[in-house]
Amino acid sequence: MTYFLPLETFAAKPGWILRQNSQTYGFVKTIVSPDGIRLDMGDMKVGIRPPDWRVTFWNQRTKFMFDESIEEFKARVPKKNIQKGWKTKVETVKPLEETYSGIKAKHYRWVEYDPNNPKNFFTLYDYACADNIGLPKRLMEVASICCYVPAGKGLPLRVTGSRQVVYLYTTLASKTMVDPEIFKAPKGYTRVKSEMEVLMKEPGLAKEQEVSDLFKAIPGK
């Protein structure tokens, strides 16, 4: 007897489901495979897929969506105000290796420093990345861009800011087969003009306004 498996069985590829906590975004479920990156933060979803790596945001409750290129997303990343005459670098620091749910990650620190006195430095981000978990290099670079840390070190599993703000901390990692369809935004959503509108705009509210208009100063105040 011959059995025919569904096409999805052949399309799925090995990947990871990560549970990650963030003081900024709360609980984040991250799904990664060679076919893309997906972030689930409550009703807010983000999908990023090769080959063009467009970043798509959608709100499952309001049915709004917005997309942009990874270059446009990167241009919106808040720039670090480096002190005049100072430089930046990424260095390995002790402990050289950290482990998150069984995944070994290398420990890095991104700093700005005074080239005339290298001992005088300021930490921008302290982070840990895994580079040997079966994911394409470009995908891990895109993930780093989304986490605001320098690309090229692997998939970020922990990102801590200069004031010990935990932007990302992996508490659980599970290897699994991942269907590429989950990285695509659902059809039938209404396109809006910004990520902020996806996050904050309500159906039927201020239809002719962008969300940013709602925060402008009231005339005469």
Side-chain angles (χ1 to χ4, degrees), residues 54-188:
R54 289 194 71 79
V55 185
T56 304
F57 306 86
W58 68 93
N59 190 313
Q60 192 168 271
R61 181 178 61 83
T62 63
K63 303 297 188 282
F64 289 136
M65 63 87 65
F66 168 74
D67 71 330
E68 62 185 344
S69 70
I70 189 63
E71 289 76 19
E72 290 169 326
F73 176 88
K74 187 176 181 179
R76 293 196 295 110
V77 172
K79 299 293 187 298
K80 292 295 182 182
N81 294 318
I82 307 302
Q83 298 183 62
K84 186 176 181 180
W86 284 36
K87 297 182 178 181
T88 65
K89 64 179 179 180
V90 174
E91 57 188 12
T92 55
V93 288
K94 294 182 179 180
L96 298 178
E97 191 174 81
E98 301 176 356
T99 302
Y100 297 90
S101 191
I103 301 177
K104 295 187 182 300
K106 296 177 182 177
H107 183 193
Y108 299 98
R109 184 168 59 195
W110 183 24
V111 301
E112 61 169 309
Y113 67 97
D114 181 353
N116 297 315
N117 180 16
K119 291 185 178 180
N120 187 16
F121 69 90
F122 179 78
T123 299
L124 301 173
Y125 287 107
D126 188 286
Y127 60 105
C129 293
D131 62 358
N132 58 349
I133 55 176
L135 296 174
K137 179 180 178 181
R138 181 54 180 161
L139 181 143
M140 294 190 290
E141 290 175 347
V142 169
S144 294
I145 292 171
C146 293
C147 292
Y148 307 153
V149 297
K153 302 300 183 183
L155 183 75
L157 297 183
R158 177 185 62 78
V159 178
T160 305
S162 58
R163 300 183 185 279
Q164 297 302 307
V165 176
V166 178
Y167 292 106
L168 195 72
Y169 191 96
T170 301
T171 59
L172 183 66
S174 177
K175 195 168 186 178
T176 186
M177 299 299 290
V178 180
D179 185 340
E181 292 298 312
I182 70 164
F183 302 113
K184 299 179 182 179
K187 295 180 180 179

